Coordinates of all heavy atoms in Angstrom, one line a residue:
R267 N 70.3 83.6 49.7 CA 71.4 82.8 49.0 C 70.8 81.5 48.6 O 69.7 81.0 49.2 CB 72.6 82.7 50.0 CG 72.3 81.9 51.2 CD 73.6 82.1 52.0 NE 73.4 81.2 53.3 CZ 74.4 81.2 54.3 NH1 75.6 81.8 54.1 NH2 74.1 80.6 55.4
S268 N 71.5 80.8 47.7 CA 71.1 79.5 47.1 C 71.3 78.4 48.3 O 72.0 78.6 49.2 CB 71.8 79.2 45.9 OG 73.2 78.9 46.1
L269 N 70.6 77.3 47.9 CA 70.9 76.1 48.9 C 72.3 75.7 48.8 O 72.8 75.3 49.8 CB 69.9 75.0 48.5 CG 69.9 73.8 49.2 CD1 69.8 74.0 50.8 CD2 69.0 72.6 48.6
L270 N 72.9 75.7 47.6 CA 74.3 75.4 47.4 C 75.1 76.3 48.2 O 76.0 75.8 49.0 CB 74.8 75.5 46.0 CG 76.2 75.2 45.6 CD1 76.7 73.9 46.1 CD2 76.5 75.4 44.2
D271 N 75.1 77.5 48.3 CA 75.8 78.4 49.0 C 75.6 78.2 50.6 O 76.5 78.3 51.4 CB 75.4 79.9 48.7 CG 76.1 80.3 47.4 OD1 77.0 79.6 46.8 OD2 75.6 81.3 46.8
T272 N 74.4 77.8 50.9 CA 74.1 77.6 52.3 C 74.8 76.3 52.8 O 75.4 76.3 53.9 CB 72.5 77.3 52.5 OG1 71.8 78.5 52.0 CG2 72.2 77.1 53.9
V273 N 74.8 75.3 51.9 CA 75.5 74.0 52.3 C 77.0 74.3 52.4 O 77.8 73.9 53.3 CB 75.3 73.0 51.2 CG1 76.2 71.8 51.6 CG2 73.8 72.5 51.2
R274 N 77.6 75.2 51.4 CA 79.0 75.4 51.5 C 79.4 76.2 52.6 O 80.4 76.0 53.3 CB 79.3 76.1 50.3 CG 79.5 75.2 48.9 CD 79.7 76.2 47.8 NE 80.2 75.4 46.7 CZ 80.2 75.9 45.4 NH1 80.0 77.2 45.1 NH2 80.7 75.1 44.3
A275 N 78.6 77.2 53.1 CA 78.9 77.9 54.2 C 78.9 77.0 55.4 O 79.7 77.3 56.4 CB 77.7 79.0 54.4
L276 N 77.9 76.1 55.7 CA 77.9 75.3 56.7 C 79.1 74.2 56.8 O 79.4 73.8 57.9 CB 76.5 74.6 56.8 CG 75.3 75.5 57.2 CD1 74.0 74.7 56.9 CD2 75.4 75.9 58.5
M277 N 79.5 74.0 55.6 CA 80.8 73.1 55.5 C 82.0 73.9 55.8 O 83.1 73.3 55.9 CB 80.8 72.4 54.2 CG 79.8 71.5 54.0 SD 79.7 70.9 52.0 CE 81.3 70.1 51.9
A278 N 81.9 75.2 55.8 CA 83.0 76.2 55.9 C 84.0 76.0 54.7 O 85.2 75.9 54.8 CB 83.7 75.9 57.2
A279 N 83.3 75.8 53.5 CA 84.3 75.5 52.4 C 84.6 76.8 51.8 O 84.0 77.7 51.4 CB 83.3 74.7 51.4
P280 N 85.9 76.8 51.4 CA 86.4 78.1 50.7 C 85.9 78.2 49.2 O 86.1 79.1 48.5 CB 88.0 77.9 50.7 CG 88.2 76.4 50.9 CD 87.1 76.0 51.7
A281 N 85.3 77.2 48.8 CA 84.7 77.3 47.5 C 83.6 78.2 47.4 O 83.2 78.5 46.3 CB 84.1 75.8 47.0
A282 N 83.2 78.7 48.5 CA 82.0 79.8 48.5 C 82.7 81.1 49.1 O 82.5 81.3 50.2 CB 80.8 79.4 49.1
P283 N 83.5 81.8 48.4 CA 84.2 83.0 49.1 C 83.4 84.0 49.5 O 82.3 84.3 48.9 CB 85.1 83.5 48.0 CG 84.5 83.0 46.6 CD 83.9 81.7 47.1
G284 N 83.7 84.5 50.7 CA 82.9 85.6 51.3 C 81.6 85.1 52.0 O 80.8 85.9 52.7
V285 N 81.3 83.8 52.0 CA 80.1 83.3 52.7 C 80.7 82.6 54.0 O 81.5 81.7 54.0 CB 79.3 82.3 51.8 CG1 78.2 81.7 52.7 CG2 78.9 83.0 50.6
Q286 N 80.2 83.2 55.2 CA 80.6 82.5 56.3 C 79.5 81.7 57.1 O 78.4 82.1 56.9 CB 81.0 83.7 57.4 CG 82.1 84.6 56.7 CD 83.4 83.8 56.6 OE1 83.8 82.8 57.4 NE2 84.1 84.1 55.4
S287 N 79.8 80.6 57.7 CA 78.8 79.8 58.3 C 78.5 80.7 59.7 O 79.3 81.5 60.3 CB 79.5 78.5 58.8 OG 80.6 78.6 59.7
G288 N 77.3 80.3 60.2 CA 76.7 81.0 61.3 C 77.4 80.5 62.6 O 78.4 79.8 62.7
T289 N 77.2 81.1 63.8 CA 77.8 80.8 65.1 C 77.4 79.6 65.6 O 78.1 79.0 66.5 CB 77.4 82.0 66.0 OG1 76.1 82.0 66.3 CG2 77.8 83.4 65.5
G290 N 76.3 79.1 65.2 CA 75.7 77.8 65.6 C 74.8 78.0 66.8 O 74.3 77.0 67.4
E291 N 74.5 79.2 67.3 CA 73.6 79.3 68.4 C 72.2 78.8 68.1 O 71.6 78.2 69.1 CB 73.6 80.9 68.7 CG 74.9 81.4 69.2 CD 74.8 82.9 69.5 OE1 73.7 83.5 69.3 OE2 75.8 83.4 70.0
D292 N 71.7 79.0 66.9 CA 70.3 78.6 66.7 C 70.2 77.0 66.7 O 69.2 76.5 67.1 CB 69.9 79.1 65.4 CG 69.8 80.5 65.3 OD1 69.6 81.2 66.4 OD2 69.8 81.2 64.1
W293 N 71.3 76.4 66.2 CA 71.1 74.9 66.1 C 72.0 74.2 67.1 O 72.2 72.9 67.0 CB 71.5 74.5 64.8 CG 72.8 75.1 64.1 CD1 72.7 76.0 63.3 CD2 74.0 74.7 64.2 NE1 74.0 76.5 62.8 CE2 74.9 75.6 63.5 CE3 74.7 73.7 65.1 CZ2 76.2 75.5 63.4 CZ3 76.1 73.7 64.8 CH2 76.9 74.5 64.1
G294 N 72.5 74.9 68.1 CA 73.3 74.2 69.1 C 72.7 73.0 69.8 O 73.2 71.9 69.9
P295 N 71.5 73.3 70.5 CA 70.8 72.1 71.1 C 70.4 71.0 70.2 O 70.7 69.8 70.6 CB 69.5 72.8 71.6 CG 69.7 74.3 71.7 CD 70.7 74.5 70.5
L296 N 70.1 71.3 69.0 CA 69.9 70.1 68.0 C 71.0 69.4 67.7 O 71.2 68.1 67.6 CB 69.2 70.7 66.8 CG 68.9 69.6 65.7 CD1 67.8 68.4 66.4 CD2 68.2 70.3 64.5
N297 N 72.2 70.1 67.5 CA 73.5 69.5 67.2 C 73.9 68.6 68.4 O 74.5 67.6 68.2 CB 74.5 70.6 66.9 CG 75.7 69.9 66.1 OD1 75.4 69.2 65.2 ND2 76.8 70.4 66.5
A298 N 73.7 69.0 69.6 CA 74.0 68.2 70.7 C 73.3 66.9 70.7 O 73.8 65.8 71.1 CB 73.8 69.0 72.0
L299 N 72.0 67.0 70.3 CA 71.1 65.9 70.4 C 71.6 64.8 69.3 O 71.6 63.7 69.4 CB 69.7 66.3 70.0 CG 68.7 65.1 69.8 CD1 68.5 64.3 71.2 CD2 67.2 65.7 69.5
L300 N 71.9 65.4 68.1 CA 72.5 64.5 67.0 C 73.8 64.0 67.4 O 74.0 62.7 67.1 CB 72.7 65.3 65.7 CG 71.4 65.9 65.0 CD1 71.8 66.8 63.8 CD2 70.7 64.7 64.5
T301 N 74.7 64.7 68.0 CA 76.0 64.1 68.4 C 75.8 63.0 69.4 O 76.4 62.0 69.3 CB 76.8 65.2 69.0 OG1 77.0 66.2 68.0 CG2 78.2 64.8 69.4
S302 N 74.8 63.3 70.4 CA 74.7 62.3 71.4 C 74.0 60.9 70.8 O 74.3 59.8 71.3 CB 73.9 62.7 72.5 OG 72.6 63.2 72.2
A303 N 73.2 61.1 69.8 CA 72.4 60.0 69.3 C 73.2 59.3 68.2 O 73.1 58.0 68.1 CB 71.1 60.6 68.7
F304 N 73.9 60.0 67.5 CA 74.6 59.4 66.4 C 76.0 59.5 66.1 O 76.7 59.4 65.1 CB 73.9 59.9 65.0 CG 72.4 59.6 65.1 CD1 71.5 60.6 65.3 CD2 72.0 58.3 64.8 CE1 70.1 60.5 65.2 CE2 70.6 58.2 64.8 CZ 69.7 59.1 65.1
G305 N 76.7 60.0 67.2 CA 78.2 60.2 67.3 C 78.6 61.4 66.6 O 77.9 62.3 66.3
G306 N 79.9 61.5 66.5 CA 80.5 62.8 66.0 C 81.1 63.6 67.2 O 80.4 64.2 68.0
G307 N 82.5 63.3 67.5 CA 83.1 63.8 68.8 C 83.3 65.3 68.9 O 83.3 65.9 69.9
R308 N 83.4 65.8 67.6 CA 83.8 67.4 67.6 C 82.7 68.2 67.7 O 81.6 67.8 67.2 CB 84.7 67.7 66.5 CG 86.2 67.0 66.5 CD 86.8 67.1 65.1 NE 86.2 66.2 64.2 CZ 86.5 66.2 62.9 NH1 87.5 67.1 62.5 NH2 85.9 65.4 62.0
T309 N 82.8 69.5 68.1 CA 81.7 70.3 68.3 C 81.8 71.6 67.5 O 80.9 72.3 67.3 CB 81.4 70.7 69.8 OG1 82.5 71.2 70.3 CG2 81.0 69.5 70.7
A310 N 83.0 71.9 67.0 CA 83.2 73.0 66.2 C 83.0 72.8 64.8 O 83.0 71.7 64.3 CB 84.6 73.6 66.4
T311 N 82.5 73.9 64.0 CA 82.3 73.8 62.6 C 83.6 73.8 61.9 O 84.1 74.9 61.5 CB 81.4 74.9 62.2 OG1 80.2 74.7 62.9 CG2 81.0 74.7 60.7
V312 N 84.2 72.7 61.6 CA 85.6 72.5 60.9 C 85.4 71.8 59.7 O 84.4 71.1 59.5 CB 86.6 72.1 61.9 CG1 86.9 73.0 63.1 CG2 86.3 70.6 62.3
V313 N 86.4 71.8 58.9 CA 86.5 70.9 57.6 C 87.5 69.7 57.9 O 88.6 70.1 58.2 CB 86.8 71.7 56.5 CG1 86.9 70.9 55.3 CG2 85.9 72.8 56.2

């Protein structure tokens, strides 16, 4: 899929119908590092 579709899926944007974001298992540890270093209190992929 294109980079645009990838970005939309990770944003969980309905502008990309049929494309679902991943479970987050692959990037969970990195996301925790980003959250601890630069803020962002929520952990679920929401809009």
Side-chain angles (χ1 to χ4, degrees):
R267 60 183 178 186
S268 68
L269 180 59
L270 174 60
D271 287 340
T272 301
V273 171
R274 283 174 168 170
L276 291 169
M277 294 169 62
V285 178
Q286 301 297 322
S287 60
T289 64
E291 292 178 1
D292 293 336
W293 43 263
L296 178 61
N297 199 43
L299 177 61
L300 290 175
T301 301
S302 64
F304 302 104
R308 291 168 290 175
T309 57
T311 304
V312 298
V313 179

